[in-house]
């Protein structure tokens, strides 16, 4: 099933770009129907405009509660017939108002191997902790912070002379590969939940 994606962003949007590129080269069976940012002027909005995708800016500061903010996001997503939501560097905690509207259809990419290094600045956390391996995680979003069922993970080494920036760039390479891949698994209907475990059904072999 072709996904109708809403992508929520707050920053540079390199993960959004990976999604747009995957849609364009048909490795992801999806169309991005709306890119929504909680911050004006971010480069992600420019990327969306260049790709001819509709954008919206909705400042969380204009809402008195997280739920009211999420209710407006839901309204905007529904107006575009979005069926799946990707959080791609969206720096806000989402509430059940959004999660219930898109049950098991909200996916996030986090720049660490969960459950390690949750929350902001995960690459710095990994570096300062002294981890030798870190990476990224694509997961279904639940009401916790970076706690939802894990769909896919990829590891990268932490090198001896790493800076946060160098590590961030190395992790991003894997994020850009993994987020479109996980979305494609969803598009193919291959994901199912078994408690916390996400099962990825193998592709059926063509019969002869
Ligand atoms: C990514 O590292 C993502 O995992 C994190 O924020 C960063 C966003 O980068 N949540 P970008 O905006 O996709 O370039």
């Amino acid at each position: 099933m072709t996904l109708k994606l809403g992508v929520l962003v707050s920053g540079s949007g390199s993960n959004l770009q990976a999604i747009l590129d995957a849609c364009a080269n048909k490795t992801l069976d999806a169309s991005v129907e709306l890119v929504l940012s909680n911050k004006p002027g971010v480069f992600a909005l420019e990327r969306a405009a260049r790709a001819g995708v509709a954008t919206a800016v909705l400042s969380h500061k204009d809402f008195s509660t997280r739920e009211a903010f999420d209710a407006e996001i839901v309204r905007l997503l529904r107006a575009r017939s979005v069926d799946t939501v990707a959080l791609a560097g969206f720096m806000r905690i989402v509430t059940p108002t959004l999660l219930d509207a898109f049950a098991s259809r909200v996916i996030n990419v986090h720049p660490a191997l969960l459950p390690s290094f949750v929350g902001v600045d995960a690459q710095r956390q990994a570096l300062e902790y002294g981890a030798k391996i870190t990476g990224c995680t694509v997961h279904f979003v639940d009401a916790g912070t970076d706690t939802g069922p894990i769909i896919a993970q990829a590891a990268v080494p932490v090198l001896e002379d790493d800076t946060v920036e160098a590590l961030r760039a190395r992790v991003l390479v894997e994020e850009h590969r993994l987020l479109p891949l996980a979305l494609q698994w969803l598009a193919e209907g291959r994901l199912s939940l078994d408690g916390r475990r996400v099962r990825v059904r193998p592709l059926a072999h063509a019969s002869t």
Side-chain angles (χ1 to χ4, degrees):
M1 185 194 78
T2 303
L3 302 179
K4 286 176 167 285
L5 282 176
V7 184
L8 308 192
V9 298
S10 301
S12 104
S14 67
N15 279 290
L16 164 67
Q17 191 67 57
I19 291 170
L20 292 168
D21 292 348
C23 291
N25 68 28
K26 304 211 184 310
T27 52
L28 172 55
D29 182 13
S31 67
V32 179
E33 302 294 331
L34 182 67
V35 170
L36 187 148
S37 173
N38 66 315
K39 291 187 180 163
V42 295
F43 191 54
L45 292 166
E46 173 76 28
R47 293 181 194 269
R50 282 183 198 172
V53 171
T55 60
V57 177
L58 198 62
S59 175
H60 54 278
K61 294 175 188 157
D62 293 337
F63 295 83
S64 55
T65 63
R66 287 185 192 278
E67 288 75 14
F69 177 57
D70 282 3
E72 181 60 8
I73 293 177
V74 169
R75 197 186 67 74
L76 292 169
L77 294 173
R78 286 213 167 122
R80 296 266 171 192
S81 303
V82 163
D83 57 39
T84 304
V85 180
L87 308 185
F90 186 60
M91 304 306 282
R92 301 294 301 167
I93 292 169
V94 298
T95 68
T97 301
L98 177 76
L99 298 175
D100 293 349
F102 296 96
S104 298
R105 308 290 294 187
V106 184
I107 283 182
N108 181 46
V109 58
H110 180 75
L113 292 175
L114 293 172
S116 292
F117 311 125
V118 300
V120 295
D121 237 345
Q123 304 91 332
R124 181 184 303 279
Q125 290 184 54
L127 191 63
E128 290 179 354
Y129 192 88
K132 299 298 187 192
I133 292 174
T134 186
C136 63
T137 303
V138 178
H139 63 96
F140 286 115
V141 178
D142 66 9
T145 302
D146 303 322
T147 52
I150 292 169
I151 301 169
Q153 295 184 301
V156 304
V158 181
L159 303 181
E160 210 55 45
D161 56 356
D162 256 345
T163 60
V164 176
E165 279 317 310
L167 183 55
R168 183 170 285 136
R170 195 174 310 119
V171 171
L172 268 176
V173 171
E174 293 303 316
E175 293 185 49
H176 298 163
R177 186 177 63 81
L178 219 56
L179 180 57
L181 180 64
L183 288 167
Q184 179 58 16
W185 290 344
L186 193 66
E188 290 168 343
R190 290 168 60 192
L191 301 181
S192 60
L193 268 175
D194 174 7
R196 272 200 58 85
R197 298 187 70 187
V198 178
R199 305 285 185 186
V200 185
R201 197 164 44 79
L203 272 180
H205 292 290
S207 54
T208 50

